[in-house]
Amino acid sequence: MAELIDGKVIAAELRQQISTDVEELIVKGVTPGLAVVLVGEDPASRVYVSMKEKACAAAGIYSVEHKLSAETPEAELLDLIAQLNDDNKIDGILVQLPLPKHIAEAKILEAISPSKDVDGFHPYNVGRLVTGDPVFKPCTPYGVMKLLEHTGVSLEGKDVVIVGRSNIVGKPLALMCLAEHATVTICHSRTVDLVQKVVAADVVIAAVGRPEMIKGDWIKKGAVVIDVGVNRVGEKKLVGDVDFAAASINAAAITPVPGGVGPMTITMLLYNTLLSAKRRVGQ
Ligand code: GUN
């Protein structure tokens, strides 16, 4: 039976350390600051944004929220970003995705100063991750790497299979695993024999957003399973991309949903904001 990789416990430990570091910076006269920009009324985005606010407050990080209507013109959002780029109380700028259709996401992400890009989505920061010299690592994949680190399993020489190729999770995660000397396979909707890839994996990371599509008998005995998926089924129930109960039979270690990767994402956002503030004062 698999060991549970408890994201809540691991996130709480990290947040404790972050709070301590924030306190030390504040004593030196520097308060880390995060600006969160939300455009429109997407209910899931609103929940995430309010969780980010609460997490900042608990860690002692100053945060400001800019809530803009769904009809906000692109130029107005660009103006706000320019203002935040110049605001020396702000160390991190996060524009919650997805954005309304009339706004070009790439243009917005490129407008954020790379030195305040705590999401790690600016092409400069993506490039730095590709070359193996990252400035800010994207929060969800970074959180996954922290969970893997906690299992004590080295990725060196291991076969890691990532299911999902998004810019936010799959692609950056592949680069981070590569940096740890894993052999990485990225699978996606057009992968011809997904099962054959997954059954051979030492580490399976699911980030596709399809409820329980990774079946228990696809998991090799002793594999580590990380489930990034959060899928709502019915009114209340959340499930991951992996059939958790069945996968737990063969897996050596597995993350639950909820309580696995979820708590790590915001934790790494706090971490990146702290890092940015430290850089501001040359630490
Ligand atoms: N939407 C879903 N995940 C993320 C994330 O990590 N950052 C931002 N900005 N938007 C998101």
Side-chain angles (χ1 to χ4, degrees):
M1 214 46 192
E3 178 199 327
L4 197 71
I5 306 170
D6 193 333
K8 279 192 275 190
V9 170
I10 298 166
E13 280 170 20
L14 280 166
R15 287 190 198 196
Q16 188 56 52
Q17 184 57 52
I18 291 166
S19 298
T20 307
D21 285 10
V22 168
E23 261 172 51
E24 281 175 20
L25 264 188
I26 290 174
V27 168
K28 292 178 190 154
V30 179
T31 303
L34 175 70
V36 178
V37 181
L38 175 63
V39 187
E41 305 288 325
D42 179 65
S45 291
R46 286 174 68 132
V47 172
Y48 288 133
V49 166
S50 97
M51 284 166 70
K52 284 166 189 171
E53 292 251 290
K54 285 192 191 118
C56 280
I61 293 174
Y62 163 73
S63 78
V64 275
E65 192 184 323
H66 294 269
K67 277 192 186 157
L68 308 180
S69 88
E71 289 77 38
T72 302
E74 187 180 270
E76 198 178 304
L77 181 55
L78 288 169
D79 281 348
L80 172 61
I81 292 170
Q83 217 175 296
L84 295 169
N85 282 341
D86 288 341
D87 186 340
N88 54 22
K89 291 193 299 301
I90 296 301
D91 297 290
I93 302 169
L94 181 144
V95 177
Q96 186 67 31
L97 304 178
L99 287 167
K101 294 271 178 289
H102 68 279
I103 298 177
E105 194 172 285
K107 201 164 165 186
I108 298 304
L109 297 180
E110 283 186 43
I112 297 171
S113 165
S115 67
K116 296 190 177 187
D117 172 36
V118 286
D119 254 332
F121 294 164
H122 189 288
Y124 173 81
N125 285 320
V126 176
R128 289 284 296 252
L129 185 63
V130 173
T131 56
D133 186 20
V135 180
F136 290 113
K137 299 180 190 173
C139 303
T140 299
Y142 200 0
V144 169
M145 296 310 285
K146 288 281 172 195
L147 293 177
L148 286 170
E149 197 182 302
H150 263 262
T151 65
V153 174
S154 161
L155 292 185
E156 189 170 336
K158 297 280 163 53
D159 285 315
V160 174
V161 170
I162 299 168
V163 189
R165 57 172 158 177
S166 69
N167 288 340
I168 292 181
V169 185
K171 283 186 215 168
L173 199 43
L175 292 163
M176 291 182 204
C177 291
L178 199 56
E180 295 299 320
H181 315 292
T183 301
V184 183
T185 304
I186 306 179
C187 299
H188 47 80
S189 55
R190 301 197 199 170
T191 297
V192 171
D193 195 348
L194 177 64
V195 181
Q196 182 206 339
K197 309 282 186 216
V198 175
V199 295
D202 301 308
V203 177
V204 180
I205 306 173
V208 265
R210 288 178 58 188
E212 297 181 329
M213 74 161 285
I214 310 284
K215 304 301 174 201
D217 59 1
W218 300 5
I219 304 301
K220 181 165 84 175
K221 191 130 197 85
V224 174
V225 179
I226 307 284
D227 193 347
V228 185
V230 183
N231 309 288
R232 192 168 289 281
V233 289
E235 271 292 290
K236 287 233 171 85
K237 195 170 176 227
L238 289 180
V239 300
D241 293 346
V242 178
D243 180 345
F244 176 83
S248 298
I249 296 167
N250 278 346
I254 187 167
T255 58
V257 176
V261 176
M264 298 300 290
T265 298
I266 294 180
T267 304
M268 302 325 292
L269 174 66
L270 302 174
Y271 178 85
N272 279 348
T273 305
L274 168 66
L275 189 66
S276 183
K278 283 182 177 172
R279 287 191 187 129
R280 168 155 66 102
V281 292
Q283 280 194 344

